[in-house]
Amino acid sequence: MPALVYPELKPWPQPPETTTELDYAPLAVLDFAKWDAPGGKEELAAQLKEASHTMGFWTIINPGIPQDVLDTQFALANTFFTLPQEEKEEITFIPGESCWGYRPPGTIKGTEFKENLEMVNMHKFTEGTNYPRHTFMKRYEPLITSFQKLVFEQVINKIFVLMAIMLELPENHFTDMHKFEKASDDHVRFIKYRTRTVEEDKAVSDQWMAGHTDFGSVTLLFPQPIAALQVRTPEDEWKWVRYVPGGIVCNAADLIALMTKNYVKSAIHRVMRPPPDQANLERMGIFFFVRPTNDVIIKPNFSPVLQREGLWTKEDEEFKDEDAATCGEFVIARMQNFNPSRTKEQRDKEVLKVKQWEVVNKYI
Ligand SMILES: O=C(O)CCC(=O)C(=O)O
Ligand SMILES: [Fe+2]
């Protein structure tokens, strides 16, 4: 590993891959090294079309993010989580009220057990955004911003170009809605999962994070080798997500599903106790949650593909922008509705209404 530019950051050594045979989901692997080759983008778009329409999950290899850049972000996460508790709690969020800053382990719904995860959500550092930030994060602002920008250029923009190609739309269709420089709720999350004993995990059915969909457009999960993430397949089975060295796991989320009439699937996923050879290792996750800019109107987006598939209706044609929620309104409503203290029964009965949209919670 090359020397860290910030020597005071504590490196996060990545453990070996599991050798346990797991029932893996058949995820497409998109090789971004093909991007500039003749026909490369078209080939990748065809892969993404199939993957996003079926599993809602795929993996990108050769994403153009140097390993030492990733190592530094993992070291930043590790250093943050080893701060004294009062420094971590400088900016703390309460689910349902806001989502910026640190969240200590909560209590698992319906039980007296504590979660084994703590997280911190860092809004992108752009002009005009004024969310509270940890003193610690402010110190590393150039490091955080340069990483987020690089990921935006190398990976996020390209995913949206491919989505446009696969839906037979102009290449800038989705990139115009997702701009790093413009106000939106794009954010990076660090999660540290602590180990639990077999008995402790048994009491919570081995679950570390309940099944859910993500709220935004797409989510990126940066490479880390501890198997724990599972995806709900179209056949309604849980399958493990395979670690691919250097590969970024991506999932489509609710807003892109709404805009594409569910052609792109917002996949349900959850986090479980890792296999025995990794269950005694702490797991560090780094995620990029991508959302449209706040001014984007959340509405069905016409596409010849949706039309051919019979998904495009008269109501979609007559959709009135003035009746529709913007992404900013949508995200606030969704975040305030996310109250993990409610029971599953309470949540299941509830449908969140945001102007014309009815959002059915899919927490399982
Ligand atoms: O830890 C993981 O792999 C997934 C976390 C996740 O799904 C989330 O934070 O929304
Ligand atoms: Fe998630």
Side-chain angles (χ1 to χ4, degrees), residues 8 11 25 34 58 73 76-77 101 120 133 139 154 172 192 198 203 206 253 255 274 283 295 319 321:
E8 72 281 14
K34 294 181 185 165
W58 61 94
Q73 292 298 314
L76 187 70
V120 59
R133 285 164 194 169
R139 209 180 307 145
Q154 294 293 325
N172 61 339
K192 184 170 182 183
V198 173
D206 282 347
L255 289 180
R283 179 173 185 268
D295 55 353
F319 193 94
D321 282 7

Side-chain angles (χ1 to χ4, degrees), residues 189 209 212-214 219 229 251 269 289:
R189 171 177 294 176
M209 187 186 280
H212 65 279
T213 58
D214 294 339
T219 307
L229 181 63
N251 65 273
H269 51 285
F289 291 88

